[in-house]
PDB file of all heavy atoms in Angstrom:
ATOM      1  N   ALA A  58       0.002  -7.522  16.145  1.00  0.00           N
ATOM      2  CA  ALA A  58      -0.392  -7.900  17.510  1.00  0.00           C
ATOM      3  C   ALA A  58       0.770  -7.586  18.441  1.00  0.00           C
ATOM      4  O   ALA A  58       1.931  -7.828  18.095  1.00  0.00           O
ATOM      5  CB  ALA A  58      -0.699  -9.396  17.559  1.00  0.00           C
ATOM      6  N   ILE A  85      16.894   2.159  18.572  1.00  0.00           N
ATOM      7  CA  ILE A  85      16.049   1.674  17.475  1.00  0.00           C
ATOM      8  C   ILE A  85      16.654   2.115  16.144  1.00  0.00           C
ATOM      9  O   ILE A  85      16.091   2.983  15.457  1.00  0.00           O
ATOM     10  CB  ILE A  85      14.602   2.202  17.622  1.00  0.00           C
ATOM     11  CG1 ILE A  85      14.154   2.197  19.090  1.00  0.00           C
ATOM     12  CG2 ILE A  85      13.651   1.353  16.796  1.00  0.00           C
ATOM     13  CD1 ILE A  85      12.840   2.923  19.326  1.00  0.00           C
ATOM     14  N   ALA A 109       7.953   9.043  25.616  1.00  0.00           N
ATOM     15  CA  ALA A 109       8.877   7.950  25.956  1.00  0.00           C
ATOM     16  C   ALA A 109       8.080   6.739  26.440  1.00  0.00           C
ATOM     17  O   ALA A 109       7.016   6.880  27.030  1.00  0.00           O
ATOM     18  CB  ALA A 109       9.831   8.417  27.046  1.00  0.00           C
ATOM     19  N   LEU A 128       1.041  -2.158  -3.905  1.00  0.00           N
ATOM     20  CA  LEU A 128      -0.185  -1.994  -3.111  1.00  0.00           C
ATOM     21  C   LEU A 128       0.133  -1.461  -1.707  1.00  0.00           C
ATOM     22  O   LEU A 128      -0.710  -1.514  -0.819  1.00  0.00           O
ATOM     23  CB  LEU A 128      -0.936  -3.328  -3.012  1.00  0.00           C
ATOM     24  CG  LEU A 128      -1.552  -3.834  -4.322  1.00  0.00           C
ATOM     25  CD1 LEU A 128      -2.084  -5.246  -4.173  1.00  0.00           C
ATOM     26  CD2 LEU A 128      -2.659  -2.918  -4.788  1.00  0.00           C
ATOM     27  N   MET A 136       1.374   1.517   9.446  1.00  0.00           N
ATOM     28  CA  MET A 136       0.146   2.047  10.057  1.00  0.00           C
ATOM     29  C   MET A 136      -0.459   1.067  11.067  1.00  0.00           C
ATOM     30  O   MET A 136      -0.972   1.488  12.102  1.00  0.00           O
ATOM     31  CB  MET A 136      -0.864   2.426   8.966  1.00  0.00           C
ATOM     32  CG  MET A 136      -0.418   3.567   8.073  1.00  0.00           C
ATOM     33  SD  MET A 136      -0.054   5.125   8.963  1.00  0.00           S
ATOM     34  CE  MET A 136       1.700   5.038   9.212  1.00  0.00           C
ATOM     35  N   GLU A 287     -15.215  16.162 -10.853  1.00  0.00           N
ATOM     36  CA  GLU A 287     -16.462  16.657 -11.470  1.00  0.00           C
ATOM     37  C   GLU A 287     -17.184  15.513 -12.169  1.00  0.00           C
ATOM     38  O   GLU A 287     -18.404  15.373 -12.072  1.00  0.00           O
ATOM     39  CB  GLU A 287     -16.145  17.730 -12.528  1.00  0.00           C
ATOM     40  CG  GLU A 287     -15.712  19.068 -11.955  1.00  0.00           C
ATOM     41  CD  GLU A 287     -15.175  19.989 -13.049  1.00  0.00           C
ATOM     42  OE1 GLU A 287     -15.415  19.749 -14.249  1.00  0.00           O
ATOM     43  OE2 GLU A 287     -14.479  20.957 -12.685  1.00  0.00           O
ATOM     44  N   MET A 301      -8.021   8.043 -16.594  1.00  0.00           N
ATOM     45  CA  MET A 301      -7.033   7.056 -16.129  1.00  0.00           C
ATOM     46  C   MET A 301      -6.116   6.634 -17.283  1.00  0.00           C
ATOM     47  O   MET A 301      -4.900   6.505 -17.102  1.00  0.00           O
ATOM     48  CB  MET A 301      -7.740   5.842 -15.521  1.00  0.00           C
ATOM     49  CG  MET A 301      -8.478   6.141 -14.228  1.00  0.00           C
ATOM     50  SD  MET A 301      -9.474   4.738 -13.640  1.00  0.00           S
ATOM     51  CE  MET A 301      -8.192   3.569 -13.139  1.00  0.00           C
ATOM     52  N   LEU A 311       5.964  11.035 -20.437  1.00  0.00           N
ATOM     53  CA  LEU A 311       6.591  12.202 -19.812  1.00  0.00           C
ATOM     54  C   LEU A 311       7.407  11.854 -18.567  1.00  0.00           C
ATOM     55  O   LEU A 311       8.520  12.326 -18.395  1.00  0.00           O
ATOM     56  CB  LEU A 311       5.508  13.226 -19.428  1.00  0.00           C
ATOM     57  CG  LEU A 311       4.706  13.812 -20.584  1.00  0.00           C
ATOM     58  CD1 LEU A 311       3.536  14.632 -20.056  1.00  0.00           C
ATOM     59  CD2 LEU A 311       5.599  14.688 -21.467  1.00  0.00           C
ATOM     60  N   GLU A 318       5.867  -4.187 -19.186  1.00  0.00           N
ATOM     61  CA  GLU A 318       4.818  -5.046 -18.623  1.00  0.00           C
ATOM     62  C   GLU A 318       3.566  -4.229 -18.287  1.00  0.00           C
ATOM     63  O   GLU A 318       2.442  -4.665 -18.563  1.00  0.00           O
ATOM     64  CB  GLU A 318       5.338  -5.753 -17.366  1.00  0.00           C
ATOM     65  CG  GLU A 318       6.450  -6.769 -17.611  1.00  0.00           C
ATOM     66  CD  GLU A 318       7.853  -6.147 -17.588  1.00  0.00           C
ATOM     67  OE1 GLU A 318       7.987  -4.901 -17.679  1.00  0.00           O
ATOM     68  OE2 GLU A 318       8.822  -6.936 -17.498  1.00  0.00           O
ATOM     69  N   VAL A 322      -0.346  -4.343 -20.002  1.00  0.00           N
ATOM     70  CA  VAL A 322      -1.632  -4.490 -19.294  1.00  0.00           C
ATOM     71  C   VAL A 322      -2.600  -3.403 -19.740  1.00  0.00           C
ATOM     72  O   VAL A 322      -3.770  -3.667 -20.063  1.00  0.00           O
ATOM     73  CB  VAL A 322      -1.425  -4.411 -17.753  1.00  0.00           C
ATOM     74  CG1 VAL A 322      -2.770  -4.331 -17.036  1.00  0.00           C
ATOM     75  CG2 VAL A 322      -0.630  -5.620 -17.255  1.00  0.00           C
ATOM     76  N   ALA A 326      -6.029  -3.828 -21.736  1.00  0.00           N
ATOM     77  CA  ALA A 326      -7.269  -3.392 -21.069  1.00  0.00           C
ATOM     78  C   ALA A 326      -8.136  -2.560 -22.017  1.00  0.00           C
ATOM     79  O   ALA A 326      -9.364  -2.661 -21.997  1.00  0.00           O
ATOM     80  CB  ALA A 326      -6.930  -2.604 -19.804  1.00  0.00           C
ATOM     81  N   MET A 333     -13.214   0.488 -18.369  1.00  0.00           N
ATOM     82  CA  MET A 333     -13.400   1.935 -18.578  1.00  0.00           C
ATOM     83  C   MET A 333     -12.084   2.707 -18.502  1.00  0.00           C
ATOM     84  O   MET A 333     -11.957   3.776 -19.089  1.00  0.00           O
ATOM     85  CB  MET A 333     -14.384   2.469 -17.529  1.00  0.00           C
ATOM     86  CG  MET A 333     -15.789   1.923 -17.759  1.00  0.00           C
ATOM     87  SD  MET A 333     -16.961   2.442 -16.493  1.00  0.00           S
ATOM     88  CE  MET A 333     -16.792   1.142 -15.296  1.00  0.00           C
ATOM     89  N   PRO A 373       1.151 -15.612 -16.881  1.00  0.00           N
ATOM     90  CA  PRO A 373       0.060 -14.649 -16.646  1.00  0.00           C
ATOM     91  C   PRO A 373       0.457 -13.633 -15.572  1.00  0.00           C
ATOM     92  O   PRO A 373       1.341 -13.913 -14.754  1.00  0.00           O
ATOM     93  CB  PRO A 373      -1.103 -15.516 -16.158  1.00  0.00           C
ATOM     94  CG  PRO A 373      -0.467 -16.776 -15.670  1.00  0.00           C
ATOM     95  CD  PRO A 373       0.867 -16.932 -16.325  1.00  0.00           C
ATOM     96  N   ASP A 375      -0.952 -11.616 -12.156  1.00  0.00           N
ATOM     97  CA  ASP A 375      -1.980 -11.938 -11.152  1.00  0.00           C
ATOM     98  C   ASP A 375      -3.033 -10.851 -11.175  1.00  0.00           C
ATOM     99  O   ASP A 375      -2.706  -9.683 -10.985  1.00  0.00           O
ATOM    100  CB  ASP A 375      -1.365 -11.966  -9.743  1.00  0.00           C
ATOM    101  CG  ASP A 375      -0.557 -13.219  -9.524  1.00  0.00           C
ATOM    102  OD1 ASP A 375      -0.802 -14.199 -10.265  1.00  0.00           O
ATOM    103  OD2 ASP A 375       0.312 -13.220  -8.638  1.00  0.00           O
ATOM    104  N   ILE A 379     -10.572  -5.863  -6.643  1.00  0.00           N
ATOM    105  CA  ILE A 379     -10.350  -5.030  -5.452  1.00  0.00           C
ATOM    106  C   ILE A 379     -11.623  -4.261  -5.147  1.00  0.00           C
ATOM    107  O   ILE A 379     -12.209  -3.648  -6.040  1.00  0.00           O
ATOM    108  CB  ILE A 379      -9.233  -4.000  -5.738  1.00  0.00           C
ATOM    109  CG1 ILE A 379      -7.909  -4.672  -6.032  1.00  0.00           C
ATOM    110  CG2 ILE A 379      -9.126  -2.969  -4.632  1.00  0.00           C
ATOM    111  CD1 ILE A 379      -7.196  -5.203  -4.846  1.00  0.00           C
TER     112      ILE A 379
END
Side-chain angles (χ1 to χ4, degrees):
I85 321 170
L128 292 171
M136 295 301 95
E287 287 170 17
M301 293 173 70
L311 297 171
E318 293 88 344
V322 170
M333 292 177 270
D375 285 339
I379 297 284

